[in-house]
Amino acid sequence: MAQASQSGPSHLRGMFAPQSVAVVGASRSQGKIGHSILKNIIDSAYGGALYPVNPREDEILGRRSYPSLAACPGPVELAVIAVPAPAVPAVVEDCGRHGVRYLVVITAGYKEVGTEGLTREKDLLALVRRYGMKMLGPNCLGLMDTHTPLNASFAAGFPLKGEIAFLSQSGAVCAAILDWSLSVGLGFSKFVSLGNKADLTEVDFIREAAEDGYSKVILCYVEDVVDGQGFMDTVAAIGAGTPIVILKAGASQAGARAASSHTGALAGSDLAYDVAFHQAGVLRARTMEELFDLAIAFTTQPLPAGDRVAIVTNSGGPGIIATDAIEARGLKMAELTRETVEHLRQELPPTASFYNPVDVIGDADDHRYDFAFRHVLADPGVDSVLCMLTRPAVIDPMLVAGSIIARRREHPAKPVVAAFLGGDNVAAATRELIAAGIPCFNFPERAVTALSGLARFQAFRRRAPRADRTIAVEGVDREGAAAILAGAREDRRVVLLADESAALMRAYGIPVVPSGLATGAEQAVALAEQFGYPVVLKVASPQILHKTDFGGVRLNLETSSEVTDAFFEIVDGARRYQPRAAIHGVEVQKMMRVGIELIMGVSRDVHFGPLLMFGLGGIYVNLLKDVSFRLARGATWEEIEAMVSETKAYALLRGYRGKPPADVDAVIDVLGRVAALAQEFPGIAELDINPLFAYERGEGVCALDVKVTLSE
Ligand code: COA
């Protein structure tokens, strides 16, 4: 239902900083939601005009109240609606008539309650759209902007002013995070409870937060991204301006579907989100903790120049744990310059470690710690520093915190995070560091995760400017392809026959092995002679998907009598293997010289469209899982090249153990053609080419087996 809203500059500024707000359903009764909303708006010191609307009251919370929207003395830019569901349509109609631009519909009882609610929601949306209004909700907690300031919600509190924009599909998560943030002193710029996302979705609010001029990082908690294409467009337009971190929950059920192809099975249900987020430079948090750790890192730290991390610690064990975490999260342990190592060697005791992780050892006092940290931080080979402390009796954590804060000021361009391990002993020092803008965690892994988020975002920012070559898919016969698909539809088949699949490939300029369908042995021999021996025979049956299981594929047939025998054996075998399967005959193929066996394919994600897959092919595809994915939409040469180079198959293509390199350009070209085919024909649900033989450079590729499944 949700769709991308119009493009152009953000159109939601007035929703967060309206000239005037009406609260429809404002109430004098404490404990009613309409009371809380009005009180929150007043308490947030909102400076615009405020109109409580209630049919029975003249005054609520010291404000003049109006019986209807029409009775309000001035125009209303934003209306917050908290009346029971049956009363909502008339209120929305009123809003439309009186030029209200933005609605926040708090009321519940829509699609979250089932079919009847869904119908109610559709009607509500139609009404909103009819008047060209924009709606947050229904079924939401409301929105807040600390910079306006405006608290148009019924949350119990108002966040501290800050630079984190937080969007949440769950009102309960909003409420909990708000409460927690107040207890730890974390500030927000915007706080949005997305509700049912009937009209405005996270896509709209991401855009608004990216353009508001004060949100430094955008956090989302979502259960789905319904408008995948709008999401990709919006995030691409934001580019690397504002980091976006998303916690996407509900992975297991969201995209669950039955997959009949390798590509579909390997794509799984949640992979499209990973692929889309990766391509768009969005960081995916796996836990709530990670979501906020990253937010804190982005709002307090500069981006690192690179991924080299140095550790300063006063104990070995935690240093090793942190080192493991650094490698596990794709960061590198920095190599200290000889100069730094020499400095450390001169000043630290011989039992210390002068290399990364630098261990000042357990008897260090704050002076020794300070000395080590100063030199490590100044080292040109270090992009960011993790300061770790466990508290033996001889060191005062407060003094160490003071030195970290002071030294850091000398190098403001390098991220510094801390992990002070312990409880009460390090609590005050931890607070001191956090207050000074240095994230400090109880455990090393969280600190490393924060650093890795910064480095990943920096790497994304630095990705080559998008001078990507879009793949030119020339020599394509769209009408021919459309006719093949239409033919299968007419026959009410969802799996194309082998000859149809081959013809479809040819229509898109994808080289396929010469082949033909034989309904009798004589015809099989005739085809074999036409292609030239040796040939391959395969059973042609839409029901039999795994032909090798019963000997339904016969290779290397050299003579007409071998072809004749194989024909009858395959047909008999197929009848016995699957008696109810329709056997269309036997496919005769030219036996190709063996190349590097690759797989490529497409599966369709309901939100993000076709997903392109590439990897090592053959019969062990599911076992080896050497595959990579990209969204087919907008696939560029560079993106596909990156996708190919991520796999182990790439090592084979480049020429493994003295073998000559393969025709990688032809592989990329075919992937581009598959991507184009999948985009131009949304009726193709899944497609597998397995194997595709890749030959030596300049000799191209050849698709051996192609399976195309149409949507039901
Ligand atoms: N125009 C203006 N005011 C109206 C009105 C209208 N058309 N219709 C009713 N009102 C007034 C009522 O008179 C009442 O004021 P009062 O206390 O002075 O009598 C006020 O609006 C609220 O109506 P009431 O019938 O008392 O409803 P309520 O406050 O019990 O419930 C909702 C209204 C919206 C809160 C409720 O329907 C609801 O949806 N609750 C769930 C909200 C929720 O959980 N959202 C998701 C959070 S994540």
Side-chain angles (χ1 to χ4, degrees), residues 307-572:
D307 56 2
R308 300 164 305 175
V309 183
I311 300 171
V312 180
T313 177
N314 68 340
S315 53
I320 297 170
I321 294 171
T323 304
D324 285 350
I326 282 171
E327 286 182 1
R329 285 165 181 71
L331 296 169
K332 290 200 188 81
M333 286 295 280
E335 202 171 309
L336 302 178
T337 60
R338 196 181 313 154
E339 218 181 352
T340 306
V341 174
E342 274 318 306
H343 281 305
L344 297 174
R345 199 190 296 280
Q346 277 161 25
E347 195 75 11
L348 304 187
T351 44
S353 166
F354 319 116
Y355 299 93
N356 192 15
V358 172
D359 184 355
V360 295
I361 64 172
D363 64 353
D365 62 4
D366 58 289
H367 293 293
R368 197 195 290 166
Y369 197 102
D370 177 70
F371 180 85
F373 178 52
R374 173 158 62 97
H375 285 287
V376 168
L377 187 60
D379 190 307
V382 170
D383 298 319
S384 53
V385 183
L386 166 58
C387 299
M388 298 187 42
L389 189 86
T390 46
R391 208 225 142 167
V394 290
I395 201 160
D396 181 347
M398 273 307 249
L399 294 178
V400 175
S403 114
I404 293 172
I405 293 164
R407 294 294 174 201
R408 207 210 148 217
R409 279 195 202 112
E410 296 165 12
H411 295 275
K414 278 191 195 181
V416 173
V417 300
F420 277 22
L421 280 63
D424 289 348
N425 277 330
V426 292
T430 299
R431 279 196 299 275
E432 184 86 0
L433 283 166
I434 291 171
I438 296 174
C440 184
F441 304 94
N442 292 113
F443 295 108
E445 294 88 343
R446 285 177 63 189
V448 173
T449 300
L451 286 180
S452 93
L454 297 174
R456 274 188 290 156
F457 186 66
Q458 177 68 299
F460 167 69
R461 269 166 53 109
R462 292 209 177 131
R463 262 189 224 165
R466 307 205 70 77
D468 294 359
R469 285 179 282 160
T470 25
I471 304 231
V473 278
E474 285 158 4
V476 164
D477 172 14
R478 280 184 194 83
E479 290 72 34
I484 295 163
L485 299 177
R489 289 265 186 231
E490 264 166 38
D491 283 2
R492 299 180 180 282
R493 278 183 286 115
V494 289
V495 179
L496 295 195
L497 298 174
D499 57 329
E500 290 171 329
S501 300
L504 187 65
M505 295 299 104
R506 284 192 200 100
Y508 262 70
I510 298 168
V512 277
V513 56
S515 67
L517 181 71
T519 49
E522 274 175 24
Q523 198 185 356
V525 171
L527 285 168
E529 269 155 24
Q530 181 192 329
F531 303 146
Y533 290 103
V535 292
V536 178
L537 263 57
K538 297 179 187 177
V539 64
S541 164
Q543 285 80 30
I544 301 178
L545 297 180
H546 300 290
K547 309 181 188 85
T548 43
D549 285 358
F550 73 101
V553 179
R554 301 287 298 275
L555 306 175
N556 219 5
L557 306 170
E558 304 262 12
T559 62
S560 59
S561 64
E562 280 181 21
V563 169
T564 307
D565 291 349
F567 181 91
F568 291 118
E569 283 162 21
I570 287 176
V571 172
D572 284 353

Side-chain angles (χ1 to χ4, degrees), residues 23-29 31-35 37 52-57 60 66-69 81-88 90-91 94 105-110 112 138-142 154 169-172 174 193 195-196:
V23 180
V24 188
S27 170
R28 285 177 86 104
S29 310
K32 279 204 184 180
I33 286 181
H35 180 87
I37 295 168
V53 176
N54 181 301
R56 301 185 297 132
E57 307 287 353
I60 304 174
Y66 303 89
S68 68
L69 236 117
I81 301 175
V83 299
V88 170
V91 170
D94 255 12
V105 180
I106 303 287
T107 311
Y110 291 86
E112 79 282 2
N139 186 30
C140 71
L141 196 74
F154 66 95
Q169 195 165 339
S170 153
C174 272
S193 159
N196 291 3

